[in-house]
Amino acid sequence: MESANQLVSVGTFQVLKLPLGFIRVLEWLFAIFAFATCGGYSGQLRVSVDCQLDKASSNLSIGIDFAYPFRLHQVSFEAPLCDGRRRESLFLIGDYSSSAEFFVTIAVFAFLYSLMATIVYIFFQNKYRENNRGPLIDFIVTVVFAFMWLVSSSAWAQALSDVKVATDPDEVLELMSACKVMTNKCGLVQGPRWSGLNTSVVFGFLNFVLWAGNIWFVFKETGWHKGGPARYAGAPPEKQAATFSQQQPYNQGSFDQSGGYSGQGDREQASEYSPVGEPTSYSNQM
């Protein structure tokens, strides 16, 4: 317990008030919402088949359950044929697991990286800035995650649209042989709720905005952005001196090579001029 309190006291929690740390915390939270709303989804569609010529064969509540990762071609259900008590086994159409799993995978890895980066910002700030390696790695990873969020969110949005079409009641009823007979009545009892999946798409694009916006704040921590001495912090002294001499030229007549002051240039310049009004010779005064 003492070591934990000691670690908390050493940690610089002030970084969470800065955009870099504050946005990392938001990325961590939004990543949780993204993979939780998508990966934890389960929906149900209920339809009815009313056989007019054989009421005993009717089924007014056919439940069709589907969930993440949306391999709809593996979702089966039974429907009456309205011909005695015979039934047929049917499957939904489509496999959208690749887009859904890709989206959830990016969300999980973004959650883990944001958590790790926040811990490094708080407790290992010195190691993070050492040799400028930490900010450079952070910058590259942030750019990659911003791009991956855009790709995965776009792919998942398209896949969700296809899932809605595949589970549309009209599309499902067309799969049933009994519903193709005009005398039978088929209809929707209960449709699936899409609010959770719609929210996951929104959080996906919000994560892209957060990661893309955080690129600038991470870039400011790198040596590519910082100027002056920070830019040449890792350079040898000779290179720093050469660079400094190129950027800030000085009067060679005032300083010698060892850095000491030399008044030779000033004395020579003063000898070429005389004070105003000073006589040049005694004969001229006469």
Side-chain angles (χ1 to χ4, degrees):
M1 189 65 183
E2 294 180 359
S3 61
N5 294 333
Q6 207 172 25
L7 187 62
V8 171
S9 63
V10 172
T12 56
F13 287 91
Q14 295 294 327
V15 72
L16 299 181
K17 297 181 180 180
L18 301 177
L20 179 65
F22 180 71
I23 294 178
R24 278 284 182 249
V25 175
L26 290 181
E27 292 170 351
W28 178 70
L29 292 175
F30 279 39
I32 295 176
F33 294 144
F35 71 74
T37 51
C38 179
Y41 178 83
S42 61
Q44 185 182 64
L45 172 67
R46 287 191 173 275
V47 295
S48 63
V49 178
D50 187 6
C51 304
Q52 297 296 319
L53 301 179
D54 188 2
K55 292 293 185 179
S57 301
S58 300
N59 190 342
L60 303 181
S61 182
I62 303 174
I64 306 172
D65 299 323
F66 59 96
Y68 173 85
F70 306 101
R71 294 187 177 94
L72 300 183
H73 66 288
Q74 297 179 357
V75 177
S76 62
F77 60 96
E78 291 186 349
L81 289 171
C82 293
D83 184 10
R85 293 189 176 274
R86 293 193 303 163
R87 295 177 176 274
E88 61 178 346
S89 295
L90 301 172
F91 292 86
L92 295 179
I93 300 174
D95 182 8
Y96 309 100
S97 59
S98 59
S99 298
E101 290 175 342
F102 178 50
F103 178 80
V104 171
T105 301
I106 295 300
V108 170
F109 278 106
F111 159 77
L112 294 176
Y113 180 79
S114 299
L115 179 61
M116 181 190 68
T118 304
I119 294 174
V120 170
Y121 293 164
I122 296 174
F123 299 107
F124 305 99
Q125 188 66 227
N126 294 333
K127 291 291 184 180
Y128 173 76
R129 299 180 183 277
E130 185 177 353
N131 296 327
N132 201 35
R133 186 176 302 174
L136 289 178
I137 296 175
D138 196 16
F139 173 74
I140 295 173
V141 174
T142 302
V143 171
V144 171
F145 266 112
F147 175 74
M148 298 306 288
W149 270 118
L150 177 61
V151 174
S152 62
S153 299
S154 301
W156 169 231
Q158 180 60 46
L160 177 58
S161 178
D162 296 337
V163 170
K164 291 179 179 179
V165 172
T167 57
D168 183 81
D170 295 334
E171 296 291 333
V172 175
L173 292 175
E174 288 182 0
L175 300 175
M176 302 180 184
S177 301
C179 295
K180 298 177 182 179
V181 180
M182 300 299 296
T183 57
N184 298 326
K185 293 182 179 179
C186 301
L188 172 66
V189 177
Q190 179 183 350
R193 297 181 179 179
W194 303 109
S195 58
L197 294 182
N198 292 335
T199 304
S200 68
V201 174
V202 173
F203 276 115
F205 285 106
L206 285 177
N207 273 288
F208 162 69
V209 173
L210 284 175
W211 286 84
N214 204 22
I215 291 176
W216 167 245
F217 297 106
V218 179
F219 177 73
K220 289 173 65 177
E221 300 296 323
T222 64
W224 296 338
H225 175 265
K226 293 181 179 180
R231 182 181 301 175
Y232 309 102
E238 295 81 2
K239 186 176 181 180
Q240 294 183 21
T243 307
F244 183 77
S245 64
Q246 291 176 3
Q247 291 184 349
Q248 297 182 2
Y250 54 85
N251 187 354
Q252 296 181 355
S254 300
F255 294 89
D256 57 13
Q257 294 181 355
S258 62
Y261 178 80
S262 174
Q264 181 178 359
D266 294 336
R267 289 195 302 268
E268 290 177 358
Q269 186 176 4
S271 63
E272 294 177 3
Y273 300 93
S274 60
V276 178
E278 181 179 351
T280 57
S281 65
Y282 180 78
S283 62
N284 290 336
Q285 290 181 355
M286 297 296 294

